[in-house]
């Protein structure tokens, strides 16, 4: 596919964003482009998402490339000529760019299949933004169990096109979710002695939860506990029956993650008991932290420098990503591609500079080719 056609493909996806597990049009557009070039598609049985395969002419290894396809429920305010035409939906995390990039890489690999050793599987994943569901649905097909190395792309607005962010070790956090409901006994606000008021218990819990990071976690192990939503009562003169809080825990290490979960659970039961309330504690684990393999990061850096990219360490983030589902199969690297714009992802004014597209597609095609060859 010519560069102009690839950029037009990206802009078309940008105009028509689709939410997680609803990427029907996006899937159809990618399938059409791959089929037109004669690229083999695996039968995944998935409603959205695809796995393409390019098989070399000689034996070699199996390499996986992964992109995600879904958009966010955000009203776009980018001012772009090719802005979203779907009200309340926007590609605000660059997944349109990721999809176009891996389509470009798949087509380059197909053109060069006679020179290719081994096999490259290119994953177009649905529903990354929803949590574990998207990656898991693809991994559970069993069609990727032979992959020996995985590489993922993510746009990075703080580097300009021509720069890549490659960092060994943890690069994305485990995004877990918790909620607590405290049950007391309602009464007239003027008669607290007839009530078991869950509100002071909720306040104690909010304060107590902060100590899981400040007093229990090692200061050199990054961790976040955010209580983002609290709710109690409906009127100024009624002591409520119950109170709720919910939020997120972010960690880069599964040991720290378990420790914080335990602390929150113990704080909940003891503080609730101290205030005479009962409590329901719910904790939903998101994907594992994304941990980049150090040796494969060195491989990516070496190739990037040979191709003329500037290689930099991106800023750390406690955001989450379900690429870690693939890293349960084999090691890999989550590569950040500079796409300019300098506006955070998930913001209504987020943009991607499509000038980064051709070189990024070439990078992932070359990476897959070299690694499939490597013995
Ligand atoms: Ni994203």
């Amino acid at each position: 596919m010519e560069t102009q056609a690839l950029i037009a493909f990206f802009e078309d996806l940008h105009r028509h964003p689709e939410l997680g597990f609803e990427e029907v049009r996006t899937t159809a557009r990618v399938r059409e482009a791959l089929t037109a070039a004669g690229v083999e598609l695996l039968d995944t049985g998935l409603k959205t998402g695809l796995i393409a395969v390019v098989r070399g002419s000689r034996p070699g290894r199996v390499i996986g490339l992964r992109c995600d396809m879904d958009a966010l429920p955000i009203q776009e305010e980018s001012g772009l000529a090719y802005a979203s035409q779907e009200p309340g939906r926007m590609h605000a995390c660059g997944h349109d760019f990721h999809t176009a990039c891996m389509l470009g890489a798949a087509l380059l690999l197909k053109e060069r299949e006679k020179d290719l050793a081994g096999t490259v599987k290119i994953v177009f994943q649905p529903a990354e933004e929803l949590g574990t569901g998207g990656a898991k649905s693809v991994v559970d097909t069993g069609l990727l169990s032979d992959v020996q190395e995985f590489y993922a792309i993510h746009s990075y607005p703080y580097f300009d096109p021509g720069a890549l962010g490659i960092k060994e070790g943890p690069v994305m956090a485990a995004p877990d979710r918790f909620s607590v409901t405290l049950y007391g006994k309602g009464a007239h606000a003027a008669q607290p002695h007839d009530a078991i008021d869950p509100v002071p218990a909720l306040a104690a819990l909010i304060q107590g939860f902060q100590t899981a990071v400040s007093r229990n976690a090692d200061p050199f192990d990054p961790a976040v506990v955010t209580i983002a939503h609290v709710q109690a009562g409906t009127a100024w003169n009624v002591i409520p029956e119950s109170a709720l809080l919910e939020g997120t825990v972010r960690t880069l290490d599964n040991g720290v993650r378990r420790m914080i979960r335990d602390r929150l659970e113990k704080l909940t039961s003891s503080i609730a008991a101290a205030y005479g309330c009962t409590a329901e504690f719910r904790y939903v684990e998101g994907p594992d932290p994304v941990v980049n393999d150090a040796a494969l990061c060195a491989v990516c850096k070496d190739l990037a420098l040979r191709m003329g990219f500037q290689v930099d360490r991106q800023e750390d983030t406690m955001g989450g990503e379900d690429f870690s589902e693939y890293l349960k199969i084999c090691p890999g690297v989550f590569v950040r591609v500079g796409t300019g714009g300098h506006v955070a992802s998930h913001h209504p004014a987020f943009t991607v500079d499509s000038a980064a597209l051709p070189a990024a597609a070439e990078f992932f095609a070359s990476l897959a080719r070299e690694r499939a060859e490597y013995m």
Side-chain angles (χ1 to χ4, degrees):
M1 197 182 255
E2 296 299 315
T3 295
Q4 279 317 310
L6 195 59
I7 289 173
F9 188 91
F10 155 73
E11 292 183 356
D12 174 72
L13 294 188
H14 193 86
R15 274 189 209 100
H16 302 285
E18 295 172 298
L19 301 180
F21 290 127
E22 294 170 12
E23 308 92 338
V24 175
R25 182 186 183 277
T26 309
T27 300
R29 293 283 283 120
V30 174
R31 177 182 284 118
E32 199 179 272
L34 291 170
T35 308
V39 177
E40 178 186 345
L41 293 172
L42 297 182
D43 183 10
T44 60
L46 298 171
K47 188 181 124 207
T48 58
L50 295 159
I51 303 176
V53 189
V54 181
R55 297 180 200 276
S57 58
R58 289 170 288 127
R61 299 161 76 238
V62 184
I63 302 301
L65 298 177
R66 175 270 200 172
C67 66
D68 40 17
M69 311 171 92
D70 56 326
L72 287 155
I74 293 175
Q75 181 64 41
E76 180 159 349
E77 292 168 19
S78 68
L80 290 171
Y82 56 91
S84 169
Q85 296 176 359
E86 314 293 334
R89 280 190 240 154
M90 175 188 179
H91 270 296
C93 200
H95 298 191
D96 46 355
F97 175 80
H98 307 168
T99 303
C101 177
M102 288 309 187
L103 170 65
L107 298 178
L108 287 172
L109 287 161
K110 180 67 185 171
E111 277 172 23
R112 301 166 188 172
E113 67 186 338
K114 284 196 178 58
D115 303 323
L116 183 72
T119 302
V120 183
K121 294 188 170 177
I122 305 105
V123 176
F124 297 87
Q125 182 201 305
E128 186 280 324
E129 299 289 0
L130 301 183
T132 49
K136 206 166 177 315
S137 70
V138 179
V139 170
D140 284 350
T141 62
L143 297 168
L144 301 171
S145 55
D146 57 347
V147 175
Q148 292 165 283
E149 291 172 14
F150 258 112
Y151 298 94
I153 178 175
H154 207 288
S155 57
Y156 191 64
Y158 305 110
F159 291 166
D160 289 324
L164 297 183
I166 299 167
K167 187 197 160 205
E168 61 282 355
V171 290
M172 298 293 281
D176 297 347
R177 176 176 175 171
F178 61 83
S179 69
V180 176
T181 309
L182 291 165
Y183 297 98
K185 186 178 153 220
H188 194 293
Q191 290 165 325
H193 54 288
D194 290 334
I196 299 171
D197 189 350
V199 172
L202 188 75
L205 213 54
I206 291 167
Q207 299 226 309
F209 274 17
Q210 304 309 317
T211 64
V213 173
S214 71
R215 302 294 85 189
N216 301 119
D218 184 324
F220 293 96
D221 286 327
V224 173
V225 174
T226 292
I227 297 162
H229 177 206
V230 297
Q231 198 180 331
T234 52
W236 67 277
N237 55 0
V238 179
I239 293 172
E241 291 279 336
S242 64
L244 168 105
L245 65 77
E246 60 179 349
T248 184
V249 172
R250 305 294 171 113
T251 49
L252 297 179
D253 173 271
N254 279 332
V256 180
R257 184 187 198 180
R258 275 189 295 275
M259 183 279 289
I260 290 184
R261 179 191 176 140
D262 281 359
R263 277 305 292 154
L264 299 189
E265 194 162 10
K266 284 199 183 90
L267 285 161
T268 299
S269 56
S270 8
I271 289 174
Y275 283 79
C277 296
T278 56
E280 195 184 327
F281 178 83
R282 289 165 301 267
Y283 194 98
V284 182
E285 287 200 349
D288 278 355
V290 174
V291 182
N292 280 348
D293 183 86
L296 298 183
C297 279
V299 164
C300 288
K301 276 182 204 169
D302 173 64
L303 173 65
L305 293 173
R306 274 189 279 132
M307 289 181 67
F309 282 100
Q310 187 189 329
V311 180
D312 231 320
R313 283 171 72 97
Q314 69 279 353
E315 271 174 45
D316 292 333
T317 163
M318 296 301 270
E321 237 289 346
D322 64 7
F323 180 56
S324 49
E325 289 293 322
Y326 304 89
L327 300 182
K328 291 175 182 169
I329 300 172
C330 62
V333 182
F334 186 75
V335 179
R336 288 189 170 93
V337 174
T339 47
H342 301 267
V343 172
S345 60
H346 295 216
H347 187 281
F350 174 82
T351 57
V352 158
D353 185 345
S354 58
L357 195 46
E362 182 63 60
F363 173 78
F364 285 99
S366 303
L367 181 61
R369 185 175 150 185
E370 290 192 8
R371 297 308 292 170
E373 179 92 37
Y374 174 82
M375 280 299 177

